[in-house]
Amino acid sequence: MSDRRSATRQKLYEAAVTLIAEQGFSATTVDEIAERAKVAKGTVYYNFASKTELFEGLLKHGTELLTVSLRRAAEGRPPIEGLDAMIRAGLEFIAAYPSFAQLFIAETWRTNRSWHEALRELRDSAVAVVADVLDEAVRQGQFSADLDTQLTASALYGMVLVVALDWLAFQPERSLEDVHAALVRLVHGRITPD
């Protein structure tokens, strides 16, 4: 794909995610997406066969960005440090793309959509990055051998997603450092007095 086409698709994704987060998938029209992206309606259809295909591409694009961000954060670090870095990377991603995070959460519950299975697979790929780090921590003896790493990875993924949205919607005065520190304390089990 050419750089120009990639840039156009990025503009369409940004326009679509904002509109769909604001008013929902069904209420958002291709005309509105084109207008928000400042392109002709035909440009939308040149890049995507339908609004549904655009939306599926948007979900894939956003989730891949998050997955790459998580993987890079953990790369070359000891597992515990990698988890801390992934928590921060997740918060940074959601702060940068809050509309995508809102949309992702909303669509998770809409199991009747044609893209639900694709959404699950994309979510699984991001959660797998976290599970890999947890598996390594278990191998190194840093976590209990009976830790359910898949369920724990899902819990961490969900925790960061929901806490980040709560932070942005209800506690925007807090810094990313404050939110990160609170989540790291939970992960490290340091919420009870010594």
Side-chain angles (χ1 to χ4, degrees):
M1 185 181 308
S2 72
D3 288 345
R4 183 175 177 187
R5 190 159 187 206
S6 292
T8 299
R9 283 184 167 224
Q10 183 64 36
K11 282 172 51 174
L12 292 170
Y13 288 148
E14 289 170 8
V17 74
T18 303
L19 286 165
I20 294 169
E22 288 171 1
Q23 57 196 33
F25 176 79
S26 298
T28 300
T29 66
V30 171
D31 287 333
E32 290 171 318
I33 293 169
E35 184 180 325
R36 180 74 61 101
K38 295 180 175 44
V39 299
K41 183 177 179 179
T43 302
V44 177
Y45 288 115
Y46 175 76
N47 284 278
F48 302 98
S50 66
K51 183 173 77 167
T52 298
E53 185 179 294
L54 167 60
F55 187 67
E56 288 174 357
L58 167 66
L59 291 172
K60 183 176 187 212
H61 175 73
T63 307
E64 285 175 353
L65 287 175
L66 174 58
T67 302
V68 166
S69 175
L70 295 175
R71 190 173 287 118
R72 283 185 182 151
E75 217 166 60
R77 297 176 190 262
I80 303 296
E81 192 179 308
L83 284 174
D84 293 354
M86 284 195 297
I87 289 169
R88 183 175 187 86
L91 292 170
E92 289 173 346
F93 176 85
I94 295 165
Y97 304 103
S99 294
F100 177 79
Q102 291 168 338
L103 188 60
F104 191 90
I105 284 181
E107 289 304 316
T108 297
W109 303 108
R110 294 186 177 124
T111 57
N112 62 336
R113 303 283 198 179
S114 63
W115 52 77
H116 186 73
E117 185 59 28
L119 181 65
R120 188 183 70 74
E121 290 173 14
L122 294 167
R123 173 234 168 247
D124 289 352
S125 68
V127 171
V129 174
V130 181
D132 288 346
V133 173
L134 291 169
D135 287 338
E136 183 58 30
V138 168
R139 278 192 291 281
Q140 291 183 15
Q142 295 174 330
F143 291 143
S144 174
D146 65 351
L147 178 70
D148 183 334
T149 56
Q150 280 302 121
L151 186 56
T152 303
S154 293
L156 290 171
Y157 181 82
M159 174 185 74
V160 171
L161 190 59
V162 172
V163 168
L165 288 175
D166 182 83
W167 160 48
L168 296 173
F170 301 113
Q171 303 179 62
E173 71 283 356
R174 290 187 180 272
S175 70
L176 185 136
E177 287 72 24
D178 288 345
V179 178
H180 177 248
L183 293 181
V184 166
R185 287 185 66 164
L186 280 173
V187 170
H188 289 266
R190 294 191 312 247
I191 58 173
T192 57
D194 291 333

